[in-house]
Amino acid sequence: MAITLINPSGLPEVDAYRQVSVATGSRLVFVAGQVAWDADGVTVGEGDLAAQVEQCYLNVGAALAAAGGSFEDVAKLNVHVVDWTPDKMPLLMEGIGRAAAKLGVAPAPPATLLGVAALDIPDHLVEVEATAVLD
């Protein structure tokens, strides 16, 4: 496997992700920000943050599979949430958990969570982009 996830001593241990990923592979995969569209371009979970997070993660998983990888190859995630406030964290984690169950993995690479004013269309509440490293 090209990615090793670690929580070094001296940094806080966070349940949702690891602080560091060490990549040793030779192919980089950059997945464009994925929104809550299904394969037909229809927004999934309009107004439902957890449902949209789940769909975003499933879309990232599909993109990684097309490149020959999976969430186990992800070195870094960026998550953009419209009008982020800390009280939305349970919905974010619910969506990640549901996607993880469907994908059969626990996506825990280093992640950056960014609150944004808006995304591409008003119905989208979250966007997730990934960088992966494959052997």
Side-chain angles (χ1 to χ4, degrees):
M1 186 178 310
I3 301 293
T4 302
L5 302 177
I6 59 174
N7 272 324
S9 62
L11 294 178
E13 190 167 321
V14 180
D15 291 336
Y17 63 90
R18 303 302 170 263
Q19 294 283 7
V20 176
S21 71
V22 179
T24 58
S26 59
R27 289 191 308 140
L28 295 176
V29 177
F30 299 93
V31 178
Q34 296 298 303
V35 293
W37 275 330
D38 65 13
D40 296 320
V42 175
T43 299
V44 172
E46 188 173 331
D48 182 343
L49 179 61
Q52 288 199 17
V53 169
E54 178 183 4
Q55 186 64 43
C56 290
Y57 273 72
L58 294 175
N59 289 349
V60 169
L64 292 166
S70 73
F71 261 98
E72 293 177 340
D73 302 304
V74 173
K76 177 76 168 59
L77 288 173
N78 289 320
V79 180
H80 304 84
V81 181
V82 174
D83 296 327
W84 173 257
T85 55
D87 64 311
K88 293 181 180 179
M89 184 61 82
L91 294 171
L92 180 73
M93 297 308 296
E94 178 185 336
I96 292 170
R98 292 190 329 218
K102 288 182 179 177
L103 294 165
V105 298
T112 299
L113 173 61
L114 300 166
V116 297
L119 292 171
D120 58 337
I121 62 171
D123 290 342
H124 291 161
L125 305 175
V126 61
E127 183 169 332
V128 179
E129 61 181 297
T131 302
V133 180
L134 306 178
D135 286 322

